Amino acid sequence: MNKWFTGMQRTISTFLLFTLITAAMLGGGTAAHAASLSQSTVYYDSDGILYKVSGDGSSTTEVLLDFQGVDLVAAGSHLYYTSSETSTTLLRVPNDGSRDTPETFATNILRYDTDNGFIYYMDAKGSIYRANGDGAPSSVKKIADKADTDFPLLAVIKGRVYYNALVNGNTWIVSKATNGSGAVQRIAAGAVESNYFMNPAKNALQLMVNTNPYETYYSTNAVVMYKVNYSTGKATAVNPKAKLDVNAVYSGGWSNSFYVYNKGISLDSNKDYNYATGKAFALTTSGKTFQLHSKSIREISALGTDKAVIIDADKKAYAKTVSGNKVSKTANLNLSNVNYVSNQLTNGTATLAYISSNNGLYSVSSALKVTKLVGDEWDSFHFRDGVPGMFYVNANDLYRLYHIQANGTGNNVLSDVFLDDILLVTPN
C-alpha cells in the first residue's frame, strides 16, 4: 500500500490511511449528521464470513459465507470491494445475505468511491464511470476520461468528481459534475497524490497540490494549497509564491482552516521520516504561516472550531488553541507513547478526537476532557462520522466486537464470534 522513493518519502502511514476510512470523505465529503446506534450498521469479517450487525447489537446477518476482500464500501443495498490490495476487479454483493457468491461489477479498475447511493470507479484506461449502486453492471455511464493513471485519484465531494487528468500531456487536478454534464473544470497544474491531501471544509474544498509530481528523488519546494469553490469548481491558490517542501507537507496533516507541515524534517537511514528533526508550522487558508509546535508532529486532528490535537515527535499528545493566526494556548493532554489521532464529526463539526496508544484508547472532548475508553485489551478499532462512540475488537474477550460511548459508558459486546477485522461502519 505504501509507495517508496529512493531519496524522499512521499507516502502516508497506515494510521493516516485509516483516517481516510473513517472520514466523511469516504462517503463523498458531505456533512455527517447524527444517527442513533440502532440506525447504524457494522460490517466485519470472521473466519471468511462477512457479517453485519446493528450498532446496538440488535440484529446480526450473515452477508456472505465465503468472503475475502478489502476496502469495503456501500452503495444502495450493495457492498463493493476488491479481493486484495492489488486486485483490479471490483466485486459486489447484496447486503442482506441473499447471494451466495460475489458478482464481478467491473475489471481493470484503479480507484472507486461512493456517494448518495452511486458507485464511481476509474479504470486503467483513464475513464471514470458512475452507476446506481443497485443497478446492473451494464448500466454504468462514462462521465469523464483522460484521467492520469500515473497519479490515480478519485474523490466525489458535493456533486463533483475530483481527479488528476492529462491536459495537453501535463498533469492537472480537475473536477467535473458527478452526472458527467458540463465541461471539465481545471483547478491547478500538478497532482493531488492522495485523498489525504483533500480537506472538505464547510465553505470550500482545500487541496495540497504537488506542482512537480514527477520529481521522485529530491524533496523540492513544490506544494501549493488551493481553495476550491464547491458550486463553481473554480480554485484560488493560497501560497503560489511560497511553495512548501514536499516532505515537510507529506509528513504533516490538516486541521480546520490550516495545514501543518514539518519544516526541516529529514529522512532516516530506512527512508522513514525522522521526526526528531524539524518544527511544526501551519499554513492557513488565508495564506498566513505560524509556528504551531517546537517539534515535528506525527499526527494532527481538528477539534471543535478553534483547536487541534497533535501527536509530536516524542509521541506525546497536546491540544493547541488557535486564534488570530497564532497559538493562543497549549494544553498537555498527559498522554505518552501515543501513535494516532483522528476526529469524529457530528452535524459537520469535530466534536471528538480519538487517540490510540499501545496502552489504550482515549477520547478527547472539545472541552479537552480526556477519557480512557479501553485499556491494552484493544486489538483494532473503527468509528464513523455521525455514529456515536467507537467500535473495537476486544482481545481479552475472544476477539469479539464491542461498542463503547465516547464518555466511557455502555461497553457492550455485539458479536458472538471472534473478529478478523472491522471492515465498515455505515450510518444508514
Side-chain angles (χ1 to χ4, degrees):
M1 185 178 293
N2 288 344
K3 184 177 182 181
W4 294 92
F5 297 83
T6 303
M8 58 180 292
Q9 185 190 36
R10 295 201 341 215
T11 182
I12 53 179
S13 69
T14 301
F15 285 126
L16 296 184
L17 288 170
F18 181 82
T19 305
L20 301 178
I21 296 174
T22 59
M25 188 182 298
L26 186 67
T30 54
H33 298 284
S36 67
L37 281 175
S38 62
Q39 294 173 319
S40 63
T41 302
V42 185
Y43 295 90
Y44 61 89
D45 176 19
S46 174
D47 198 23
I49 301 175
L50 176 61
Y51 290 91
K52 73 173 183 179
V53 61
S54 298
D56 61 359
S58 60
S59 177
T60 301
T61 302
E62 291 183 354
V63 177
L64 189 63
L65 294 179
D66 187 12
F67 172 79
Q68 181 180 358
V70 297
D71 299 332
L72 192 73
V73 297
S77 61
H78 282 78
L79 302 171
Y80 290 79
Y81 63 97
T82 57
S83 60
S84 69
E85 295 288 355
T86 58
S87 174
T88 60
T89 298
L90 184 61
L91 305 172
R92 76 168 180 179
V93 65
N95 65 14
D96 60 0
S98 61
R99 188 179 176 94
D100 294 332
T101 58
E103 175 186 19
T104 296
F105 191 80
T107 58
N108 295 319
I109 62 103
L110 300 179
R111 292 289 186 273
Y112 56 97
D113 198 3
T114 61
D115 180 64
N116 291 326
F118 287 88
I119 178 76
Y120 298 78
Y121 65 87
M122 176 193 298
D123 68 14
K125 295 181 180 180
S127 297
I128 298 175
Y129 297 85
R130 145 173 138 148
N132 186 294
D134 294 328
S138 60
S139 69
V140 299
K141 174 187 176 183
K142 182 191 288 190
I143 59 172
D145 56 14
K146 298 182 180 179
D148 189 344
T149 57
D150 285 344
F151 303 99
L153 175 83
L154 181 63
V156 185
I157 303 173
K158 293 191 175 182
R160 298 192 71 84
V161 179
Y162 293 84
Y163 60 101
N164 295 317
L166 288 173
V167 179
N168 298 323
N170 298 313
T171 304
W172 280 67
I173 175 69
V174 304
S175 74
K176 195 175 185 184
T178 53
N179 63 5
S181 64
V184 172
Q185 179 68 57
R186 299 180 188 179
I187 296 172
V192 175
E193 294 195 78
S194 166
N195 294 58
Y196 180 70
F197 303 114
M198 310 178 74
N199 185 33
K202 181 178 180 181
N203 297 319
L205 176 64
Q206 301 156 10
L207 306 175
M208 300 303 284
V209 179
N210 186 347
T211 61
N212 190 20
Y214 279 99
E215 171 54 65
T216 61
Y217 190 85
Y218 297 103
S219 187
T220 59
N221 294 333
V223 180
V224 178
M225 179 191 289
Y226 281 83
K227 295 184 295 185
V228 183
N229 184 289
Y230 285 124
S231 299
T232 66
K234 295 183 178 180
T236 302
V238 173
N239 60 316
K241 297 182 180 180
K243 297 175 182 177
L244 300 179
D245 174 81
V246 175
N247 274 348
V249 171
Y250 284 22
S251 61
W254 292 104
S255 188
N256 275 318
S257 59
F258 56 86
Y259 191 95
V260 178
Y261 59 99
N262 292 316
K263 186 176 181 179
I265 198 168
S266 61
L267 303 183
D268 62 22
S269 59
N270 295 321
K271 307 303 180 186
D272 292 324
Y273 291 127
N274 180 8
Y275 289 98
T277 64
K279 297 178 181 180
F281 284 76
L283 172 65
T284 72
T285 54
S286 59
K288 304 295 184 180
T289 60
F290 62 92
Q291 185 172 330
L292 185 77
H293 195 59
S294 60
K295 299 180 180 181
S296 286
I297 60 107
R298 297 172 180 268
E299 300 274 344
I300 182 168
S301 182
L303 181 61
T305 58
D306 61 348
K307 298 179 181 68
V309 177
I310 66 167
I311 297 173
D312 73 359
D314 298 328
K315 297 187 177 182
K316 294 182 179 179
Y318 298 87
K320 302 281 185 174
T321 302
V322 176
S323 59
N325 296 321
K326 65 179 182 180
V327 176
S328 60
K329 183 179 179 180
T330 297
N332 188 339
L333 299 182
N334 297 312
L335 298 175
S336 58
N337 197 30
V338 293
N339 47 39
Y340 170 75
V341 61
S342 186
N343 59 32
Q344 188 174 45
L345 304 183
T346 303
N347 297 326
T349 299
T351 52
L352 291 162
Y354 290 105
I355 294 175
S356 73
S357 75
N358 294 335
N359 300 321
L361 301 175
Y362 304 84
S363 67
V364 184
S365 71
S366 57
L368 303 186
K369 179 182 179 181
V370 179
T371 302
K372 187 171 185 177
L373 304 179
V374 183
D376 61 6
E377 68 268 25
W378 73 275
D379 178 70
S380 62
F381 64 96
H382 206 122
F383 55 91
R384 181 68 182 257
D385 293 340
V387 178
M390 171 192 289
F391 301 91
Y392 73 97
V393 177
N394 191 333
N396 280 358
D397 186 14
L398 303 176
Y399 292 86
R400 295 197 293 172
L401 177 66
Y402 274 67
H403 175 270
I404 190 166
Q405 296 286 359
N407 61 4
T409 63
N411 195 18
N412 298 320
V413 60
L414 305 183
S415 74
D416 294 326
V417 298
F418 74 90
L419 266 68
D420 290 311
D421 198 8
I422 304 172
L423 301 173
L424 177 67
V425 177
T426 61
N428 292 356

